Amino acid sequence: MAANILVVEDEPAIQELLAFNVTQCGFRAIQAMDVASATAEINRALPDLILLDWMLPDTPGVELARRLRADQRTRNIPIIMLTARTDERDKVMGLESGADDYITKPFSPRELMARIRAVLRRRMPQMSEDTVRAEGLELSPTTHRVSANGSSLDLGPTEFRLLHFFMTHAERVYSRAQLLDQVWGDHVFVEERTVDVHIRRLRQAMEPSGLDRLVQTVRGSGYRFSSN
Amino acid sequence: MAANILVVEDEPAIQELLAFNVTQCGFRAIQAMDVASATAEINRALPDLILLDWMLPDTPGVELARRLRADQRTRNIPIIMLTARTDERDKVMGLESGADDYITKPFSPRELMARIRAVLRRRMPQMSEDTVRAEGLELSPTTHRVSANGSSLDLGPTEFRLLHFFMTHAERVYSRAQLLDQVWGDHVFVEERTVDVHIRRLRQAMEPSGLDRLVQTVRGSGYRFSSN
DNA sequence: GATCGCTGTCACACAACTGTCACAATACTT
DNA sequence: AAGTATTGTGACAGTTGTGTGACAGCGATC
């Protein structure tokens, strides 16, 4: 879930520092030095968050923030304002113009990163009742619990994700490669046979409840979650 | 610690009016304009009471009420329905869907507040003294005291807030980052592992009473407060 | 200004999980 | 029936995540 972060800052040194830290934290940094190029970048692809300097060569940062808030498509993009000013009125102005958070220079990289993460977390909340039920199984991501016919199952993280995927994608057959993409992530490189091992571990955990039959092998194709 | 009241109302003017009155009475108002954002707020932190408008842009209020009643975690949250209708059948429907009380617009703020207090008194007697009880634990924010099975616990400020958060948000798993946000605050920057240390200190304090098992580790995800 | 309690951080110990392999068991093919 | 491809299984070592004790900084209190 590498979020794209647009960094709008005219001072090259600070721009570099920001980009470095942002990248370091696993986000993708898109750089812009003024409002004009920032607007161009935003039109090209909507970023997930914007780090916006207060003072910019062409237009004040607040002005950009206000414009983004007025536009339907960009209304919900979180904005963190950067400024050298500590004036309380400016802070109010920044937040009123639609910024989600506000940070004054000089700032510690760690503080900045923490704020970025906090804002992203706040803006991307999980959905409602996410408990999945099927065939006597009940799995809830929020409580991180699984129960089979009442008694609770003890699964490792990978088996948990695997079962969750299966329960939300029942009946259909998935190849080992597909399961690796979906459960492990596309960027991870592991042997396909590793899937077999985790399938086995999952079945083993489900065996006491007799529900291990739900995880079926489709020879030559992959695995399937089904009651038949 | 004042009760959190979630106000779900799409009309901005009424939303403001409600929030103002609720705040005036010493409660904390959390605002939502539709069922979707209300659901998000509920998942973020369980409110102590919900003021729910009948007509909402995305989904009928009754529908949300029904969903909340179906979920274990939200079953006991009191709901007061707001509506412009005076139709007797609607009243029945509202109460049948699980609402605790029902009030028709236009209403006097004083009447509304009276009903809120009445419902809170009825639904959570301990709420009037804002004491939280669970599993032999008793925590009182006002007196800043905790007791486990009768004998009092000696907690530091952070451990106290941590336990309070856990007790009011049982079952659900929270990541270290979420705990930092909720217990330390968004703007505080400390290492995630610091959470581990305070968890340990909390467990240590609860150990003599044997209640340290309530604070559970969910490997790879975070921590959870639960009796199972 | 010394003491005390609390906090955040670190280093290390310990435990759980992961991916991989070798080999056994099974299913298909000829 | 033998041979081949595919999957199941147990073991193992490296990796990652968590528990724990120690410690220094910081305010508050006296």
Side-chain angles (χ1 to χ4, degrees):
Chain A
M1 88 108 175
N4 293 319
I5 299 187
L6 176 60
V7 182
V8 193
E9 163 69 64
D10 56 328
E11 185 72 34
I14 304 187
Q15 169 71 262
E16 278 310 311
L17 175 68
L18 290 172
F20 174 76
N21 280 297
V22 161
T23 311
Q24 202 71 5
C25 281
F27 303 115
R28 206 167 90 79
I30 304 157
Q31 313 194 15
M33 300 187 327
D34 50 34
V35 169
S37 55
T39 309
E41 284 298 337
I42 292 169
N43 283 326
R44 214 167 50 73
L46 293 179
D48 298 301
L49 185 146
I50 301 175
L51 282 183
L52 184 57
D53 191 23
W54 180 279
M55 289 257 278
L56 290 167
D58 49 355
T59 320
V62 248
E63 184 48 36
L64 175 59
R66 202 167 286 135
R67 283 220 307 271
L68 292 173
R69 285 295 176 257
D71 188 331
Q72 174 66 30
R73 293 166 307 159
T74 59
R75 189 186 309 267
N76 293 317
I77 301 176
I79 298 175
I80 297 180
M81 297 280 298
L82 300 171
T83 183
R85 314 194 187 189
T86 54
D87 193 310
E88 200 58 28
R89 273 172 312 179
D90 287 349
K91 185 160 182 172
V92 170
M93 228 179 114
L95 291 176
E96 271 185 356
S97 71
D100 288 80
D101 206 344
Y102 193 88
I103 190 168
T104 56
K105 306 180 203 170
F107 47 82
S108 79
R110 210 168 64 185
E111 175 181 356
L112 178 62
M113 288 311 122
R115 295 211 180 199
I116 287 177
R117 274 192 274 261
V119 168
L120 282 179
R121 255 197 314 281
R122 210 180 308 145
R123 278 306 178 90
M124 309 178 163
Q126 316 95 313
M127 14 66 312
S128 57
E129 179 52 73
D130 50 5
T131 302
V132 190
R133 282 169 250 264
E135 310 294 331
L137 278 174
E138 189 173 325
L139 180 149
S140 161
T142 53
T143 64
H144 208 277
R145 286 206 141 105
V146 201
S147 67
N149 293 326
S151 59
S152 80
L153 289 192
D154 191 24
L155 299 181
T158 305
E159 285 74 38
F160 188 88
R161 290 200 309 275
L162 186 57
L163 179 57
H164 185 221
F165 177 78
F166 271 139
M167 290 181 72
T168 50
H169 298 80
E171 296 304 331
R172 179 169 167 180
V173 180
Y174 289 92
S175 69
R176 292 172 176 72
Q178 286 175 312
L179 288 172
L180 283 178
D181 279 359
Q182 300 284 331
V183 179
W184 275 254
D186 352 7
H187 53 286
V188 188
F189 173 71
V190 288
E191 287 294 323
E192 292 204 341
R193 292 297 314 272
T194 299
V195 174
D196 296 34
V197 178
H198 284 278
I199 288 281
R200 175 181 154 273
R201 288 172 181 157
L202 178 56
R203 281 171 172 161
Q204 208 163 4
M206 297 172 75
E207 198 180 332
S209 61
L211 262 43
D212 56 312
R213 64 183 178 80
L214 294 176
V215 180
Q216 303 170 349
T217 304
V218 180
R219 191 182 171 84
S221 301
Y223 296 95
R224 172 178 54 198
F225 183 84
S226 165
S227 50
N228 307 318
Chain B
M1 182 73 62
N4 293 319
I5 299 188
L6 176 60
V7 183
V8 192
E9 163 65 68
D10 57 335
E11 183 70 29
I14 304 186
Q15 169 72 260
E16 279 309 313
L17 175 69
L18 289 171
F20 174 77
N21 280 298
V22 161
T23 310
Q24 204 69 2
C25 282
F27 304 115
R28 204 168 92 78
I30 303 155
Q31 313 193 13
M33 301 186 321
D34 48 34
V35 169
S37 54
T39 309
E41 283 298 333
I42 292 169
N43 279 321
R44 211 168 54 74
L46 294 179
D48 301 300
L49 185 146
I50 301 175
L51 283 182
L52 184 56
D53 192 18
W54 180 278
M55 289 257 277
L56 290 168
D58 48 355
T59 318
V62 246
E63 183 48 37
L64 175 59
R66 202 167 287 133
R67 281 221 307 270
L68 292 174
R69 285 294 175 257
D71 189 333
Q72 173 66 31
R73 293 166 306 163
T74 57
R75 187 182 314 257
N76 294 317
I77 301 176
I79 297 174
I80 298 181
M81 297 279 298
L82 299 171
T83 184
R85 317 192 185 194
T86 54
D87 194 329
E88 199 57 28
R89 272 172 312 177
D90 285 348
K91 186 160 181 171
V92 170
M93 224 178 119
L95 291 175
E96 268 183 0
S97 71
D100 291 78
D101 205 343
Y102 193 87
I103 190 168
T104 56
K105 306 180 204 174
F107 47 81
S108 81
R110 223 172 50 189
E111 178 186 358
L112 177 61
M113 289 309 121
R115 296 206 182 202
I116 287 178
R117 272 193 276 260
V119 168
L120 280 180
R121 254 197 316 277
R122 200 182 323 143
R123 272 320 246 292
M124 22 182 63
Q126 72 271 40
M127 195 61 206
S128 48
E129 52 182 52
D130 71 14
T131 301
V132 190
R133 289 168 232 264
E135 309 294 331
L137 279 172
E138 189 172 323
L139 180 149
S140 162
T142 50
T143 64
H144 211 274
R145 280 174 188 283
V146 203
S147 66
N149 293 327
S151 59
S152 83
L153 288 192
D154 190 26
L155 298 181
T158 306
E159 285 75 38
F160 186 87
R161 289 201 309 278
L162 187 56
L163 178 58
H164 185 224
F165 177 78
F166 271 139
M167 290 180 71
T168 50
H169 298 81
E171 290 304 327
R172 178 168 170 169
V173 178
Y174 290 91
S175 69
R176 291 172 176 72
Q178 286 175 312
L179 289 172
L180 284 177
D181 278 0
Q182 301 281 333
V183 178
W184 275 255
D186 293 9
H187 349 295
V188 183
F189 320 101
V190 290
E191 287 293 323
E192 292 203 341
R193 290 296 315 272
T194 299
V195 174
D196 296 33
V197 178
H198 284 277
I199 288 280
R200 174 178 157 274
R201 288 172 181 158
L202 177 56
R203 280 172 172 160
Q204 213 161 15
M206 296 171 76
E207 197 179 332
S209 60
L211 261 43
D212 55 313
R213 67 185 177 80
L214 294 176
V215 180
Q216 304 170 348
T217 304
V218 180
R219 191 187 170 85
S221 299
Y223 295 96
R224 172 179 53 198
F225 183 84
S226 166
S227 50
N228 306 316

